[in-house]
Amino acid sequence: MKLDPSLLGLWLVISGTSLDKRTGYCAETQCENSNCMTFTIHCTKKLLDRVKLPTDTTPSMPTTYLGNWYATALFWKPQIALLINDRTLLPVLMPLAPASELALRFPEHLASLLYAHGAPHALIERELSAMLDFQYGKTANRSLVGMLNQFTYLAEGYREYNQTTDLHWLSMKLSETPCSPLYKRAISPDRELRRLIEAEWTINAANDQQY
């Protein structure tokens, strides 16, 4: 399945970056045919029942920097999708409807959240360009399913306590949560994202500019 490439152009306009200043990553060079899937959203059964699209039993290796995502549905009014990143556990809350277009709409919400976390424009551009192709899969990691359950519980608590339906604020608040899978790294998703940017992305980007 493919994402409309105009989304990348929209981000470039919003961020004030011109096409000739791109970092050199290009969806066309990463994916030379329509069968190339660049990232997978692993969905719980209750989310798959609403997405109603086929799943791939052998997900491809992601070419996105952040990797794949796990997702579930929250039965709020209106219904919400919760996605977490398998590298950083970064949570993203977004409207579920229309569910069949979840993966098509997700990059826009992710870009906004990465920008709020201070991610470099080059990283956001690269991530969007690598998300032009996607696929759905079933969940296969109990730890990540457990984090989906934990974030669901916390999101409901924050929503009720703060009397808010602001999904961006709730996503940022959830990202501050200490997570047991991250205890040996940066403890919380927001800090783990910063660690990856400082320890890996910045160095890799500098090396790319040398060649």
Side-chain angles (χ1 to χ4, degrees):
M1 299 180 187
K2 283 184 173 291
L3 173 70
D4 184 351
S6 64
L7 178 59
L8 176 59
L10 176 62
W11 163 253
L12 293 174
V13 172
I14 294 173
S15 64
T17 305
S18 62
L19 286 171
D20 59 357
K21 293 181 180 179
R22 294 275 307 279
T23 58
Y25 295 99
C26 179
E28 285 76 9
T29 58
Q30 290 175 0
C31 256
E32 297 180 353
N33 61 73
S34 60
N35 294 323
C36 178
M37 302 298 183
T38 54
F39 83 106
T40 302
I41 297 179
H42 294 275
C43 304
T44 60
K45 184 179 183 303
K46 61 182 178 181
L47 179 56
L48 285 176
D49 289 343
R50 281 151 185 81
V51 171
K52 296 180 180 179
L53 290 173
T55 60
D56 197 304
T57 56
T58 56
S60 304
M61 289 294 293
T63 57
T64 52
Y65 180 71
L66 293 178
N68 292 326
W69 294 77
Y70 268 58
T72 192
L74 308 186
F75 299 133
W76 300 356
K77 294 184 179 181
Q79 295 183 357
I80 303 299
L82 166 64
L83 300 96
I84 62 171
N85 179 241
D86 67 0
R87 286 194 72 187
T88 63
L89 301 185
L90 186 73
V92 180
L93 289 164
M94 58 178 284
L96 177 57
S100 61
E101 299 177 1
L102 176 68
L104 295 172
R105 296 180 292 109
F106 172 54
E108 178 182 358
H109 293 274
L110 175 60
S112 175
L113 202 64
L114 290 175
Y115 183 78
H117 279 288
H121 284 188
L123 187 155
I124 300 174
E125 292 166 25
R126 185 230 190 265
E127 206 66 3
L128 287 183
S129 67
M131 296 175 81
L132 293 178
D133 287 294
F134 60 86
Q135 64 186 359
Y136 292 104
K138 296 181 179 179
T139 58
N141 185 311
R142 289 186 179 181
S143 177
L144 290 173
V145 172
M147 291 308 308
L148 282 174
N149 293 334
Q150 180 179 341
F151 280 134
T152 295
Y153 175 80
L154 291 173
E156 291 172 347
Y158 289 140
R159 181 185 64 147
E160 294 179 7
Y161 182 79
N162 293 279
Q163 294 295 299
T164 183
T165 57
D166 186 334
L167 301 183
H168 183 86
W169 183 88
L170 287 169
S171 297
M172 295 294 290
K173 184 67 175 177
L174 288 175
S175 72
E176 301 171 359
T177 305
C179 302
S180 55
L182 297 177
Y183 281 171
K184 293 183 178 180
R185 288 181 281 172
I187 300 178
S188 62
D190 59 344
R191 294 179 180 179
E192 179 64 9
L193 177 63
R194 287 197 295 270
R195 186 192 70 80
L196 284 181
I197 292 172
E198 295 170 0
E200 297 181 17
W201 172 261
T202 304
I203 295 175
N204 291 339
N207 290 337
D208 288 343
Q209 291 178 359
Q210 293 178 3
Y211 298 98

